Amino acid sequence: MKEIKGGVCAAKGFKASGVHCGIRKNKTKKDLALIYSEKKAVAACVYTTNLVKGAPITVTKANVSDGYAQAAICNSGNANTCNANGVEIAEKMCSLLSEELGIDKSDVIVASTGVIGQPLDIEPIANGIPSLVKELKTDSGDAAAAIMTTDTVQKCVSYSFEIGGKECRIGGIAKGSGMIHPNMATMLVFVTTDTAISHEMLQKALSEDVKSSFNMVSIDGDTSTNDMVSVMANGLAGNEEITCEGEAFDEFCKALNAVTTHLCRMIAGDGEGATKLLECIVSGADSKQTAVTVSKSVICSSLFKAAMFGADANWGRVLCAIGYSGAAVDVEKIDVSFKSASGEIEVCKNGAGVDFSEEKAKEILVEKEIQVLINLNSGNESATAWGCDLTYDYVKINGDYRT
């Protein structure tokens, strides 16, 4: 497996586009994105667990209930959530796009992101769809830009891999900076692949993958109303269709995880106001669930996140988060270290502090990517969670988000 260029357009038969249609006031920001497969694709999705769900979630669930899709359309600037006519608007987006592309309206994945509770006018979207289709090309940059809200960088990645001697490709784009917290889904992610795989196995792969990827990301403890991860697989790679577990399925799952993990790191590193990517790696756990619980608890701690912003090696906040996590751990066995490009330093051994250089610790923690290494010394299970530091700018961004 190797990383390649192309994002959602790396796989055969996929094109994408992004335009400014007028939903957002800033005309320099694209606000409508499209991903299209020249062949109807097998589709799988996972959705937000928030009881308050955006209208596009309802419509997409209905559309992909047969296991297929051929296009995905997404607007930014308005979440189309808590609107009386939200479902009508989402359905209209699908029908307008289907007419322009010449496909069935039930083969459209629809998504929206932005401010909740604001009416969404269909007119700018209707006016923008012809240009959106006309601008389709084998470059995912415009689509990646059009789904961004408070994101500061585009999130795009793709890989090539082999199944049965056939080259397969998989790629994705994502948006996500704030209102991100585990458990599925916590952002908008669109993945495409030319791998031939059945709907059942694609859904199985995605549902399992999110447990160790997107469910392990937290920016601010808020689970969004609109979030969704979708995968379209059009089979144009020509491999024998994956219909059961085995070597081919395992290879596909590895490639899918390479894409999702890469996007997780990009999302966490681009958290609202963030200056640092935090990666909490827990090892030596007595069970997978214990490792997951501990890593999530640490990465979600506001006090720990604030300490990382200040490059303060306050390991007590790590133990505090472990202590209230609910995981049954032996506190007297816990070891903690901080690691970055500037080195590694142990700050806690067997649940107690050790002598360490504050100067060296500061040098390690001023880097842009920080690893928090926690060894529970109680077993062989491990887990990794991703997050970011908590900064002044997070409050500034969310203090006037609607404006």
Side-chain angles (χ1 to χ4, degrees):
M1 180 169 27
K2 64 178 180 180
E3 187 172 352
I4 58 175
K5 295 181 179 180
V8 290
C9 298
K12 293 179 181 176
F14 284 98
K15 294 182 179 180
S17 61
V19 300
H20 173 81
C21 70
I23 298 172
R24 307 185 71 156
K25 297 176 182 178
N26 188 336
K27 294 182 179 180
T28 65
K29 291 188 176 182
K30 294 178 173 27
D31 53 16
L32 192 62
L34 170 64
I35 302 169
Y36 170 69
S37 173
E38 65 183 44
K39 176 187 175 184
K40 184 185 287 192
V42 170
C45 299
V46 287
Y47 310 95
T48 181
T49 56
N50 196 319
L51 291 179
V52 179
K53 291 178 173 61
I57 297 287
T58 301
V59 175
T60 294
K61 278 186 175 181
N63 284 358
V64 302
S65 60
D66 65 351
Y68 293 93
Q70 195 165 356
I73 185 170
C74 176
N75 73 271
S76 61
N78 188 308
N80 191 13
T81 298
C82 300
N83 292 331
N85 66 337
V87 169
E88 178 186 339
I89 293 294
E91 289 178 340
K92 188 64 175 178
M93 289 173 67
C94 295
S95 61
L96 288 170
L97 181 65
S98 69
E99 292 170 8
E100 196 69 27
L101 287 172
I103 63 175
D104 195 298
K105 64 181 180 181
S106 66
D107 288 328
V108 178
I109 292 168
V110 59
S112 298
T113 182
V115 180
I116 295 170
Q118 296 290 319
L120 178 60
D121 187 357
I122 193 63
E123 185 176 354
I125 297 172
N127 292 338
I129 283 177
S131 297
L132 195 65
V133 172
K134 185 179 180 180
E135 294 294 324
L136 279 169
K137 55 189 174 184
T138 55
D139 184 311
S140 61
D142 287 346
I147 65 174
M148 293 167 62
T149 50
T150 55
D151 306 63
T152 64
V153 296
Q154 293 184 18
K155 300 168 180 68
C156 177
V157 68
S158 46
Y159 289 88
S160 68
F161 59 105
E162 281 195 9
I163 291 181
K166 298 287 187 180
E167 183 193 26
C168 299
R169 297 186 172 198
I170 186 168
I173 59 173
K175 67 80 50 182
S177 278
M179 200 177 261
I180 292 180
H181 180 67
N183 284 304
M184 207 68 268
T186 52
M187 65 288 296
L188 286 179
V189 180
F190 301 95
V191 177
T192 61
T193 180
D194 49 22
T195 309
I197 183 171
S198 69
H199 165 68
E200 292 74 17
M201 298 312 293
L202 183 62
Q203 187 66 60
K204 179 180 178 65
L206 179 61
S207 296
E208 284 298 312
D209 182 87
V210 298
K211 294 177 182 178
S212 62
S213 59
F214 298 120
N215 279 4
M216 300 300 287
V217 179
S218 183
I219 300 300
D220 49 20
D222 276 308
T223 300
S224 176
T225 59
N226 285 54
D227 300 334
M228 172 176 64
V229 177
S230 68
V231 184
M232 289 192 288
N234 64 17
L236 291 179
N239 63 290
E240 184 177 345
E241 185 182 22
I242 301 170
T243 59
C244 61
E245 294 186 24
E247 184 178 348
F249 181 67
D250 290 344
E251 286 301 314
F252 176 77
C253 289
K254 288 178 184 177
L256 175 63
N257 188 251
V259 169
T260 57
T261 300
H262 191 116
L263 292 174
C264 281
R265 291 178 58 85
M266 295 186 78
I267 289 167
D270 191 36
E272 287 177 341
T275 64
K276 299 170 185 176
L277 165 65
L278 306 180
E279 184 174 54
C280 182
I281 303 172
V282 174
S283 62
D286 60 359
S287 70
K288 186 69 174 180
Q289 187 55 54
T290 293
V292 167
T293 299
V294 168
S295 60
K296 281 185 178 181
S297 186
V298 172
I299 219 70
C300 291
S301 167
S302 294
L303 285 176
F304 168 69
K305 290 155 64 72
M308 292 299 96
F309 171 57
D312 178 11
N314 192 341
W315 59 269
R317 291 181 176 178
V318 176
L319 262 66
C320 179
I322 296 173
Y324 63 62
S325 69
V329 300
D330 187 339
V331 176
E332 294 183 354
K333 289 184 177 180
I334 299 174
D335 300 337
V336 179
S337 297
F338 295 125
K339 183 179 180 180
S340 73
S342 292
E344 180 177 348
I345 191 165
E346 185 176 52
V347 293
C348 173
K349 182 73 174 177
N350 296 326
V354 297
D355 289 333
F356 64 89
S357 168
E358 292 286 357
E359 291 75 17
K360 179 61 179 178
K362 179 76 73 173
E363 182 183 331
I364 290 170
L365 295 180
V366 295
E367 295 286 349
K368 289 190 174 296
E369 295 188 8
I370 310 296
Q371 288 185 332
V372 186
L373 308 178
I374 301 169
N375 193 335
L376 300 179
N377 291 300
S378 298
N380 299 311
E381 293 294 336
S382 61
T384 301
W386 298 275
C388 63
D389 55 344
L390 179 59
T391 72
Y392 308 123
D393 284 340
Y394 178 82
V395 177
K396 290 179 181 178
I397 290 167
N398 285 284
D400 62 357
Y401 181 74
R402 293 196 306 160
T403 56

